[in-house]
């Protein structure tokens, strides 16, 4: 009997070209969010911000954020946005990216939100064949997948940050699943430290508790682009960071 093959991606960040091929050879594609590219920490010429203000301004923001000078970064950005309708400009740019990215999703795709995504826009772009899940489950190839999107409150103040209590409630609502799919990692230092941005990202202690308690076969996540550890076993659960899609263009494969 033929097995099942699922391709998993996260942190697409504008890479529509590779996304269009990400489902080749798989029974389904799972996407764990961050479709939008606002600012590329490796290539400061790519993304919504440099498109609006140039690569030199983007480099300055990256330098300030990397130094954890978040208030200075925000103050610098406020000077750039002066006289511009920020909300309108950002939404127009996000819409352009979503139109291209959602069109690249294969059928079937199961997707949840990242912290830089704008959930209210997704219903306009998700086509038949793309199932959006957040705090809900889906059966794929006979296994139960649970999905929780978004991030937790951070100094970055990204668009889809969820209060800790609300995030924990979404994790709790999933119950026991075979594959636990989230955008952010569990609260484990080696999984949270980004070696390029040189900072710890936010992880979820509620997610870590659920892994210990419900023992899924896999916990899949992204968010941290260059982590100290891409894989780690926690009890019976294989934890895998799949958040490298923007730079590699390669999905992670789950087979059984």
């Amino acid at each position: 009997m033929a097995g099942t093959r699922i391709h998993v991606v996260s942190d697409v960040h504008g890479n529509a070209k590779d996304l269009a091929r990400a489902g080749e050879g798989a029974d389904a594609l799972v996407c764990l969010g961050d479709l939008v590219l606002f600012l590329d920490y490796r290539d400061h010429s790519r993304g919504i911000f440099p498109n609006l203000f140039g690569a030199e301004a983007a480099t300055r923001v990256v330098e300030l954020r990397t130094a954890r000078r978040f208030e200075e970064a925000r103050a610098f950005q406020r000077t750039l946005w002066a006289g511009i309708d920020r909300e309108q400009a950002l939404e127009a740019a996000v819409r352009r990216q979503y139109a291209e990215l959602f069109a690249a999703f294969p059928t079937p795709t199961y997707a949840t939100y990242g912290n830089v995504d704008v959930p209210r826009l997704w219903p306009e772009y998700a086509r038949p064949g793309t199932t959006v899940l957040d705090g809900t489950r889906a059966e794929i190839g006979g296994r139960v997948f649970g999905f929780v999107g978004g991030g937790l409150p951070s100094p970055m103040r990204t668009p889809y940050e969820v209060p800790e209590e609300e995030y924990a409630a979404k994790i709790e609502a999933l119950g026991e699943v075979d594959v636990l799919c989230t955008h952010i990692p569990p609260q484990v230092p080696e999984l949270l430290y980004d070696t390029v941005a040189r900072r710890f990202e936010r992880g979820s202690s509620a997610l870590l508790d659920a892994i210990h308690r419900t023992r899924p076969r896999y916990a899949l996540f992204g968010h941290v682009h260059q982590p100290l550890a891409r894989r780690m076993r926690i009890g019976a659960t294989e934890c895998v960071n799949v958040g490298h899609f923007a730079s590699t263009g390669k999905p992670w494969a789950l087979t059984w």
Side-chain angles (χ1 to χ4, degrees), residues 175-236:
E176 294 187 9
V177 298
D178 298 307
V179 186
L180 183 49
C181 298
T182 58
H183 178 68
I184 61 173
Q187 183 70 33
V188 177
E190 294 89 341
L191 300 175
L192 297 177
Y193 188 74
D194 191 307
T195 60
V196 172
R198 299 204 298 273
R199 65 168 180 262
F200 287 96
E201 300 288 356
R202 284 296 310 268
S204 170
S205 56
L207 174 57
L208 180 60
D209 291 344
I211 290 169
H212 282 299
R213 188 177 67 255
T214 65
R215 299 164 61 86
R217 296 178 190 228
Y218 291 92
L220 309 179
F221 49 86
H223 188 53
V224 183
H225 298 167
Q226 297 90 16
L228 275 176
R230 289 206 177 274
R231 296 181 75 125
M232 176 181 292
R233 196 156 192 88
I234 299 177

Side-chain angles (χ1 to χ4, degrees), residues 79-206:
T79 65
L80 297 175
W81 283 107
I84 300 173
D85 187 328
R86 178 186 175 118
E87 188 172 325
Q88 186 178 52
L90 286 177
E91 180 164 324
V94 169
R95 284 181 176 277
R96 284 193 293 272
Q97 290 192 12
Y98 276 167
E100 185 178 17
L101 290 158
F102 276 91
F105 275 145
T107 296
T109 291
Y110 299 86
T112 195
Y113 316 114
N115 61 295
V116 302
D117 284 312
V118 184
R120 66 180 174 81
L121 297 181
W122 280 36
E124 296 184 43
Y125 296 95
R127 303 174 303 167
T130 297
T131 303
V132 179
L133 305 105
D134 186 17
T136 49
R137 300 148 56 109
E139 186 177 313
I140 309 173
R143 287 192 176 176
V144 178
F145 286 63
F147 294 80
V148 172
L152 293 172
S154 76
M156 307 291 281
R157 298 181 186 173
T158 50
Y160 189 47
E161 296 183 349
V162 181
E164 289 202 41
E165 300 78 9
E166 183 181 328
Y167 193 90
K170 290 196 291 184
I171 292 285
E172 180 70 23
L174 295 179
E176 294 187 9
V177 298
D178 298 307
V179 186
L180 183 49
C181 298
T182 58
H183 178 68
I184 61 173
Q187 183 70 33
V188 177
E190 294 89 341
L191 300 175
L192 297 177
Y193 188 74
D194 191 307
T195 60
V196 172
R198 299 204 298 273
R199 65 168 180 262
F200 287 96
E201 300 288 356
R202 284 296 310 268
S204 170
S205 56

Side-chain angles (χ1 to χ4, degrees), residues 8-15 19 30-37 101 112-117 182-185 194 201 221-226 230 241-249:
V8 189
V9 301
S10 184
D11 300 82
V12 174
H13 292 303
N15 189 348
L19 185 62
V30 167
C31 179
L32 304 183
D34 272 11
L35 299 182
V36 172
L37 178 61
L101 290 158
T112 195
Y113 316 114
N115 61 295
V116 302
D117 284 312
T182 58
H183 178 68
I184 61 173
D194 191 307
E201 300 288 356
F221 49 86
H223 188 53
V224 183
H225 298 167
Q226 297 90 16
R230 289 206 177 274
N241 182 314
V242 301
H244 48 72
F245 188 78
S247 58
T248 68

